Amino acid sequence: MELKIKLEQLNQRVNGLKEQIQTEEATKNAFVMPFIQILGYDVFNPTEVIPEYIADIGTKKGEKVDYLIKKDEEPILIIECKNWKEKADAHNSQLHRYYHVTKARFGVLTNGIIYNFYADLAQPNIMDDKPFLTINLEDLKDSSIKVLQNFTKSEYNLANILDSAEAMKYIKAIRNEFEKEIENPSDEMVRLLVNKFFEKPLTANRMVAFKEYTKRALSISISESISSRLKSALVINENIETGKTNTLGINENIEIPKFITTDEELEAFQIVKAILREIIHSERIAYRDTQSYFGILLDDNNRKPICRFHFGTAKKQIEFFHNGKDSGEKVTLSSLDEIYNYRSELHKTIENYN
C-alpha cells in the first residue's frame, strides 16, 4: 500500500528529527506539512491548504485554526497542531470551538506523530468528544490506513468516510464495553448469562460468586478460542509445506468446512454495501459464500446476483451482472479500493432488477 509506505517514511523522518524540534511551529513545518502533502494536498497552494485560517467565534475575533484544507473550493478538514511533546488528545476544546464555526465536516488534532480525526456523528455541526479515527505513525494499522485513504485528494469521498466513521465509532465503543465486562462483569451481564440456565433467585451472595465465575468463564473461553485458532493455523501451514494430510491424528469423521469466509471478502461486501446504500436500503443487500465464489445478492435471492468475488487465487476478480444475470463480466482488481471505480455498474444492476 503506497500510502502506508509514505507514512512509514514520514515516521522515520520524525524519529530522526524530533529531538531537534522544540516548538509548535517547528512541529508543523517538519511533521504536519509533510503529512498533508502525503494526503495529496499542495501545502504551497493557499486556495487548497490555508494556514492560520481565521475562525472568529462570536465576539472573540482573530481566532485562527492552524490549517484548513479545501477540495473543489469546499472546506473539508481543519487541523489544529500541538508540539510533538504534547498529547494529541489535549486541548481538543479549542478544536471543538473552531469546528463549530467552519463548514468542514472533519477536524484533526495532532502533535505530528498522532493524528486524531473527529466528526459530528452525534449532533450536526457539533464535534464529537472522541475521535473516530487515530493514525499513530509509530503504530500504523492497515484498517486505519484504509479509512485514511478516503481523505486523500484523489480519493476523497464524504459518504464513505461517514460510513466508516460511524462503524468505527460504535465498534470501538462495543469493544470497550466488552473489555470492561471481561475485566469486571456487570450485574446485567451476569444475569443475562446465568438466567439462561440457573432457575433460582440470584441473591447478593450468589451474585458475587457468579460474577467471579463469569469473569473466569469469559477469560477461559477467549484464551481457548485464541489457542484453537493458532493450532489450526499451524496445522494448515505445516500440512501445506509438507504436503501431508491428517498427520496430527485429526478425526477424519469430523466434517471440515469446504470454504471459509475471509475478512477480505467481508470487507469487499461492506464496500459494495456502502456504494449501493446510495440507491437502496442496506438491509436488501446480502451475501452468500460458496466454494467457488463469494456472492452478493439483492434480497438474498439467488436469482438476483449483484456481483461475485473470486478471491481464491493470487488474482482477485469481481464479476458484474449489469448486462443481465446470465452474462457475468469479470474484472481483475489490484486492490479492494478499486471496487469504488465500478459504482455505475453496480447501480445499473440494481436498476435492472427494479
Side-chain angles (χ1 to χ4, degrees):
M1 188 185 298
E2 184 180 358
L3 181 57
K4 183 176 182 179
I5 293 172
K6 289 181 178 180
L7 292 172
E8 288 172 342
Q9 291 172 342
L10 177 58
N11 184 47
Q12 293 175 1
R13 171 188 173 88
V14 169
N15 285 332
L17 292 176
K18 64 183 182 181
E19 295 303 329
Q20 304 172 47
I21 302 298
Q22 302 299 322
T23 65
E24 179 183 307
E25 193 64 29
T27 299
K28 289 194 289 186
N29 292 335
F31 303 159
V32 180
M33 287 177 66
F35 181 85
I36 297 173
Q37 286 180 309
I38 286 174
L39 295 182
Y41 301 97
D42 186 355
V43 295
F44 301 109
N45 182 348
T47 65
E48 187 167 282
V49 178
I50 307 175
E52 298 295 310
Y53 180 77
I54 296 176
D56 291 339
I57 304 169
T59 58
K60 198 171 184 180
K61 303 298 182 181
E63 292 288 291
K64 296 178 181 179
V65 63
D66 288 319
Y67 297 103
L68 180 137
I69 297 178
K70 287 187 174 183
K71 187 176 187 300
D72 300 327
E73 300 183 359
E74 290 293 325
I76 62 173
L77 187 69
I78 59 173
I79 303 177
E80 182 65 14
C81 307
K82 302 300 172 188
N83 189 304
W84 71 269
K85 296 179 182 179
E86 295 187 54
K87 291 183 178 180
D89 57 356
H91 315 301
N92 67 356
S93 59
Q94 189 176 9
L95 180 66
H96 193 283
R97 296 197 306 272
Y98 294 151
Y99 185 94
H100 180 67
V101 296
T102 66
K103 294 182 180 179
R105 289 298 305 271
F106 306 102
V108 177
L109 184 61
T110 180
N111 60 5
I113 300 173
I114 297 175
Y115 293 78
N116 284 318
F117 286 72
Y118 296 83
D120 57 353
L121 300 175
Q123 292 180 270
N125 204 34
I126 297 177
M127 193 183 85
D128 296 333
D129 292 331
K130 296 181 179 180
F132 68 88
L133 171 67
T134 296
I135 300 294
N136 185 344
L137 295 182
E138 296 178 342
D139 184 22
L140 293 169
K141 293 179 170 57
D142 289 344
S143 58
S144 298
I145 294 174
K146 287 180 180 178
V147 179
L148 182 65
Q149 189 77 42
N150 289 318
F151 279 98
T152 60
K153 182 179 179 180
S154 60
E155 299 185 35
Y156 179 77
N157 188 304
L158 177 61
N160 291 340
I161 295 173
L162 291 176
D163 283 343
S164 298
E166 183 178 55
M168 294 181 74
K169 173 185 176 180
Y170 291 119
I171 288 172
K172 185 184 294 184
I174 291 169
R175 283 188 61 185
N176 288 341
E177 292 303 317
F178 182 64
E179 288 168 3
K180 290 178 185 176
E181 294 290 352
I182 294 173
E183 182 64 27
N184 185 22
S186 64
D187 291 358
E188 293 81 5
M189 171 65 82
V190 174
R191 288 193 182 95
L192 175 66
L193 297 174
V194 174
N195 284 340
K196 292 181 180 295
F197 60 84
F198 190 77
E199 297 179 356
K200 298 178 182 180
L202 276 177
T203 63
N205 288 338
R206 287 191 183 277
M207 176 60 76
V208 171
F210 273 117
K211 272 195 171 186
E212 182 60 28
Y213 298 157
T214 301
K215 180 177 179 178
R216 289 168 61 186
L218 291 174
S219 178
I220 292 170
S221 178
I222 292 171
S223 296
E224 289 185 351
S225 176
I226 293 172
S227 177
S228 176
R229 287 174 180 267
L230 288 173
K231 287 179 181 178
S232 297
L234 289 172
V235 169
I236 292 171
N237 185 58
E238 180 180 340
N239 289 342
I240 290 173
E241 290 181 353
T242 62
K244 297 178 182 179
T245 58
N246 203 29
T247 57
L248 298 181
I250 299 173
N251 187 344
E252 293 182 355
N253 293 322
I254 296 176
E255 184 177 349
I256 299 175
K258 294 183 173 62
F259 56 86
I260 298 174
T261 301
T262 66
D263 290 343
E264 193 173 42
E265 289 169 333
L266 292 175
E267 183 180 347
F269 170 66
Q270 292 299 332
I271 292 174
V272 172
K273 196 173 182 179
I275 293 171
L276 295 180
R277 280 182 63 184
E278 300 171 3
I279 57 174
I280 61 173
H281 199 283
S282 61
E283 291 182 357
R284 298 186 64 191
I285 308 165
Y287 73 81
R288 292 189 194 178
D289 204 354
T290 72
Q291 200 168 351
S292 54
Y293 61 81
F294 180 86
I296 300 180
L297 310 171
L298 180 64
D299 300 326
D300 203 13
N301 188 335
N302 273 330
R303 297 182 179 180
K304 296 181 178 181
I306 298 173
C307 65
R308 292 173 181 170
F309 290 102
H310 302 267
F311 289 171
T313 63
K315 182 170 67 173
K316 295 179 177 60
Q317 291 183 313
I318 181 172
E319 184 176 3
F320 296 106
F321 296 91
H322 58 287
N323 292 323
K325 64 181 180 180
D326 297 321
S327 57
E329 175 187 339
K330 292 182 181 179
V331 175
T332 300
L333 300 171
S334 60
S335 73
L336 295 187
D337 290 336
E338 288 187 2
I339 299 171
Y340 289 110
N341 298 336
Y342 300 100
R343 177 178 273 99
S344 60
E345 286 84 350
L346 293 169
H347 282 197
K348 184 179 178 183
T349 302
I350 298 300
E351 292 168 1
N352 290 341
Y353 291 133
N354 291 334

